[in-house]
Amino acid sequence: WFAENLRNEHYANGDVIPVLSEGEWMNTAYNSLGATAVYGDGTVSSCSDGAEGFDACNDSLSLSAYGRLYNWYAVDDARGLCPSGWQVPTVSEWTVLEDYISSQGFDGMVGAVLKSTSGWYNNGNGTNDFGFSALPCGTLHSNFFSGAGERAHWWSSSPNDDGTTWAYIRYLMGDDSDMSSDYANRQTGNAVRCLRVSD
C-alpha cells in the first residue's frame, strides 16, 4: 500500500485530470467526468478547518499533508488513476487489509493503528503501527470542504451494484478506534490510496 494519499494531477497515460469549479462536482452535466481537487482550493467557497497544527483551508498546506481528493469517476477511468503497477483497491482488498490487521491482535482497533501519531483533532491520533500514516484529509461535496482534522475517506474501485450513483469507501473518524465501511455519491471528492498490483 502507498504510505500516503495519492497526489496525481494526471492519469497514468499523461492526460490531465480536470479540476471542477464550485457546484460542478454535483452538477448532472458533469456526471461521469473524472475530477480532482485539493482541500481548501479557492474555487470552492466554503471550507471547514479542524486540522491540528496548520490551516487546512490553505490548499498548498493541505496538498502537502493530505494529497488530492478525487471523484469516483476518476477512480473508474480506464486511463488509470494510480501509477503503472498500482491500482485503486477494491472493497474486498480493503477488507483483506482490515482482516490482516485484526489478525495481528488489533481486532476493533484497525483505525487506531492506521492513524498517524499526530494531526487528528481532539487527541484522535493513532499509533501508526503499520506505517499507513492515515491523516484526516476530509472530503469535498458540491460546494464545501469538510472534515479536515476529523475524518478520512478513501475510495474503493467497487461501485454499489444497486444501480445508484454510489460507490464503496473506507473511512476513519477521530473519535473511533476502528475502520468503517460505507458508500458515497460518486461525485464526492475523497482521498485515494494505491495498492500494488499483485502478480
Side-chain angles (χ1 to χ4, degrees), residues 4 18 26 28 53-54 65 99 105 120 128 132:
E4 56 186 21
M26 303 296 278
T28 55
F54 74 101
D99 288 348
W120 289 81
N128 198 29
F132 197 82

Side-chain angles (χ1 to χ4, degrees), residues 4-77:
E4 56 186 21
N5 294 342
L6 187 67
R7 291 180 170 81
N8 283 358
E9 298 177 74
H10 298 83
Y11 291 110
N13 73 346
D15 290 349
V16 173
I17 304 168
V19 175
L20 302 182
S21 63
E22 182 171 344
E24 291 176 344
W25 280 80
M26 303 296 278
N27 188 319
T28 55
Y30 296 91
N31 276 345
S32 77
L33 175 66
T36 185
V38 176
Y39 196 99
D41 184 331
T43 60
V44 177
S45 60
S46 180
C47 180
S48 172
D49 176 24
E52 293 283 290
F54 74 101
D55 177 8
C57 293
N58 179 320
D59 59 349
S60 63
L61 297 178
S62 287
L63 176 60
S64 176
Y66 298 149
R68 304 184 72 86
L69 303 174
Y70 303 89
N71 66 11
W72 191 80
Y73 300 109
V75 169
D76 193 46
D77 196 289

Side-chain angles (χ1 to χ4, degrees), residues 9-159:
E9 298 177 74
H10 298 83
Y11 291 110
N13 73 346
D15 290 349
V16 173
I17 304 168
V19 175
L20 302 182
S21 63
E22 182 171 344
E24 291 176 344
W25 280 80
M26 303 296 278
N27 188 319
T28 55
Y30 296 91
N31 276 345
S32 77
L33 175 66
T36 185
V38 176
Y39 196 99
D41 184 331
T43 60
V44 177
S45 60
S46 180
C47 180
S48 172
D49 176 24
E52 293 283 290
F54 74 101
D55 177 8
C57 293
N58 179 320
D59 59 349
S60 63
L61 297 178
S62 287
L63 176 60
S64 176
Y66 298 149
R68 304 184 72 86
L69 303 174
Y70 303 89
N71 66 11
W72 191 80
Y73 300 109
V75 169
D76 193 46
D77 196 289
R79 291 171 286 185
L81 186 58
C82 292
S84 178
W86 297 82
Q87 65 185 23
V88 180
T90 65
V91 70
S92 297
E93 287 166 332
W94 275 108
T95 300
V96 169
L97 173 66
E98 293 172 74
D99 288 348
Y100 172 75
I101 293 172
S102 294
S103 75
Q104 301 303 299
F106 297 107
D107 188 34
M109 300 291 293
V110 172
V113 298
L114 291 181
K115 288 179 189 175
S116 60
T117 58
S118 63
W120 289 81
Y121 177 76
N122 199 23
N123 201 29
N125 299 319
T127 57
N128 198 29
D129 289 38
F130 293 86
F132 197 82
S133 303
L135 286 166
C137 52
T139 189
L140 170 62
H141 294 279
S142 59
N143 61 350
F144 63 95
F145 292 102
S146 65
E150 300 169 358
R151 63 182 186 268
H153 295 190
W154 295 278
W155 285 119
S156 78
S157 60
S158 303

